[in-house]
Amino acid sequence: MIERDLRALRRALAAKEISSVELTELYLQRIARHNPQLNAYISVDPESSLAQARAADQRLASGEGGPLTGIPIAHKDIFCSRGWLTTCGSKMLGNFVSPYDAAVIARFAAAGAVLLGKTNMDEFAMGSSNETSFYGPVKNPWDASCVPGGSSGGSAAAVVARLAPAATGTDTGGSIRQPAALCNLTGMKPTYGVVSRYGMIAFASSLDQAGPLARSAADCALLLNTMAGFDERDSTSLDRPPEDYSRELDRGAADRPLAGLKIGLPEQFFGEGCAPEVMQLVDTAIGEYRRLGAETVAVSLPNMDLSVAAYYVIAPAEASSNLARFDGVRYGYRAAQYEDLNDLYGKSRAQGFGAEVKRRILIGTYVLSHGYYDAYYLQAQRIRRLIANDFAEAFRQCDVIVGPTSPSTAFKLGEKAADPVQMYLSDIYTIAVNLAGLPAISLPCGFAGGLPAGLQLIGDYFTEARLLDVAHRYQQASSWHLQCPAGFA
Ligand code: GLN
């Protein structure tokens, strides 16, 4: 069962080969067995999950339900989930039981999916290694001495270790794609505004976007079908007609299915900075795309080199504002001893936030302060526009942009923890996409030294269905995405 994709699981449920309760129990048992070692989940609540599974079985018995009914799904602990501890990886929310569901959680519930558990993550989604979590680091199932990537590292480790059939994540600067690459998964960041941010704890609101983390592009399409949709409670949610994101899969001629597709190769993705063993796998995957009929053209994103610098002004600026609400008064952590109101704020925040979060709040407050706003924040916003323009220009010459997702395979736990700039550079290929608000997907493209590497496909706005299809074609012609880490089969 654990090797089946979502469509096959749905068929097994419909054929009564297994019930949702049995499937949920199977995963709960695997979590009980392997999670102590991986630390991928922050909370599991078997009673609550099994109650949802029983309800799903009833729906299935009456012939109702959709593609995800009865299937257990893990959710990043950034999504508020009614009755569940929702920590965002922080001590600040270590006692917060959400009174309501995020839009994403509600959509999965309405589809009849089972909430299997809440996954570990970098504190407030700030990080690329899952090491900033108050709940401790997550281990990479391919090598327990390595990081799984971040910030959606718990979701990625859970799915690749077969502790969940699929999961959700969020991506502000790469947090779905980078852990997907480091764990051998397929992960998609949709166009900004496609998935509602309601109830998704805010990090940098103009960049944050939720998306699927799964074992294949076809699974991602099914998840995105459930996640996407207009929501008036999120002012940046886009009111567009609903789409079937799997509509392009398996369409068209079989031997050269990608004939006519123009793949853009930006020179900035193929220069220095990427580990040669990763670059070799990316080159081989591009060769495979040519064999499938695609054509490649050279393109340029001249301002991409500025993306990390611009991001580390904009994201902390927004974070400093978003995190102001955690003051020890209304909910979350409150210092046990304090003198007056200011002392309550100060001590609660000093004790409730970890070092990386404090660093971002300080940077953000600084770049927004009088006298620095123009020099840093406004300047970063201008660079953001230039980067979006670069992509617009590139998409006049190609349909899809291809390159590496991450400049290296999984690094060792602790290796970059003391050097924030080195850590920030692990998102060098992913951040520009968030600044421009574009959709992108990472998919497995091979192994170097026993560790997986990811290929990134970036599309123009609203081309998710096309991107999923382009990823799917590669997955039909390769088997990297089917590989399972030893000890978890
Ligand atoms: N690693 C980046 C950061 O630390 C991106 C995180 C994310 O996408 N949530 O901000």
Side-chain angles (χ1 to χ4, degrees), residues 125-128 151 170-175 203 311-312 360 427:
M126 298 173 187
S128 306
S151 63
T170 62
D171 192 314
T172 305
S175 282
F203 162 14
Y311 173 89
Y312 278 99
R360 309 268 180 126
D427 294 319

Coordinates of all heavy atoms in Angstrom, one line a residue, residues 125-128 151 170-175 203 311-312 360 427, ligand 1:
A125 N 8.8 29.2 9.6 CA 9.2 28.9 8.2 C 10.5 29.7 7.8 O 10.7 29.9 6.6 CB 8.0 29.3 7.2
M126 N 11.3 30.0 8.8 CA 12.5 30.7 8.4 C 13.7 29.8 8.5 O 14.1 29.4 9.6 CB 12.7 31.9 9.4 CG 11.6 32.9 9.4 SD 11.8 34.1 10.7 CE 10.3 35.1 10.4
G127 N 14.1 29.3 7.3 CA 15.3 28.4 7.3 C 15.2 27.5 6.1 O 14.3 27.5 5.3
S128 N 16.3 26.8 5.9 CA 16.5 25.9 4.7 C 17.0 24.6 5.2 O 17.5 23.8 4.4 CB 17.5 26.5 3.8 OG 17.2 27.8 3.4
S151 N 11.9 25.2 4.6 CA 11.4 25.0 6.0 C 10.4 23.9 6.1 O 10.1 23.5 7.2 CB 10.8 26.3 6.5 OG 9.6 26.6 5.7
T170 N 4.7 25.1 2.6 CA 4.6 26.5 2.1 C 6.0 26.9 1.6 O 7.0 26.4 2.1 CB 4.1 27.4 3.2 OG1 5.1 27.4 4.3 CG2 2.8 27.0 3.8
D171 N 5.9 27.9 0.7 CA 7.1 28.3 0.0 C 7.2 29.8 -0.1 O 6.4 30.4 -0.8 CB 7.1 27.6 -1.4 CG 8.4 27.7 -2.1 OD1 9.0 28.8 -2.2 OD2 8.8 26.6 -2.7
T172 N 8.1 30.4 0.7 CA 8.2 31.8 0.7 C 9.5 32.2 -0.1 O 9.5 33.3 -0.7 CB 8.4 32.3 2.2 OG1 7.3 31.8 2.9 CG2 8.5 33.8 2.3
G173 N 10.5 31.3 -0.1 CA 11.7 31.5 -0.8 C 12.3 30.2 -1.3 O 13.4 30.2 -1.8
G174 N 11.5 29.2 -1.2 CA 12.0 27.9 -1.7 C 11.6 26.7 -0.8 O 12.0 25.5 -1.1
S175 N 10.8 27.0 0.2 CA 10.6 26.0 1.3 C 9.8 24.7 0.9 O 9.7 23.8 1.7 CB 9.9 26.6 2.5 OG 10.9 27.3 3.2
F203 N 4.5 34.6 7.3 CA 5.9 34.9 7.4 C 6.1 36.2 6.6 O 6.2 37.3 7.2 CB 6.7 33.7 7.0 CG 8.1 33.9 6.6 CD1 8.8 35.1 7.0 CD2 8.9 32.9 6.0 CE1 10.2 35.3 6.6 CE2 10.2 33.1 5.6 CZ 10.8 34.3 6.0
Y311 N 15.5 39.6 -1.4 CA 14.6 38.8 -0.5 C 14.9 39.0 1.0 O 14.0 39.1 1.8 CB 14.8 37.3 -0.9 CG 14.1 36.3 0.0 CD1 12.8 35.9 -0.2 CD2 14.7 35.8 1.2 CE1 12.1 35.0 0.6 CE2 14.1 34.9 2.0 CZ 12.8 34.5 1.7 OH 12.1 33.7 2.5
Y312 N 16.2 39.1 1.3 CA 16.6 39.2 2.7 C 16.4 40.7 3.3 O 16.8 41.0 4.4 CB 17.9 38.6 3.0 CG 17.7 37.1 3.2 CD1 18.0 36.2 2.2 CD2 17.1 36.6 4.4 CE1 17.7 34.9 2.3 CE2 16.9 35.3 4.5 CZ 17.2 34.4 3.5 OH 16.9 33.1 3.6
R360 N 15.7 38.0 12.0 CA 14.9 38.6 11.0 C 14.1 39.8 11.5 O 13.9 40.7 10.7 CB 13.9 37.5 10.5 CG 14.6 36.2 10.1 CD 14.9 36.1 8.6 NE 15.6 34.9 8.3 CZ 15.2 34.0 7.4 NH1 14.2 34.3 6.6 NH2 15.8 32.9 7.2
D427 N 19.1 28.9 -1.2 CA 17.9 29.2 -1.9 C 18.2 30.1 -3.2 O 17.3 30.7 -3.7 CB 16.9 29.9 -1.1 CG 16.4 29.1 0.1 OD1 16.1 27.9 -0.2 OD2 16.3 29.6 1.2
Ligands
GLN1 N1 15.0 29.6 3.3 C1 14.3 30.8 3.1 C2 14.2 31.6 4.4 O1 14.8 31.2 5.3 C3 12.9 30.5 2.6 C4 12.0 29.9 3.6 C5 10.6 29.6 3.0 O2 10.4 29.5 1.8 N2 9.7 29.6 4.0 O3 13.6 32.6 4.4

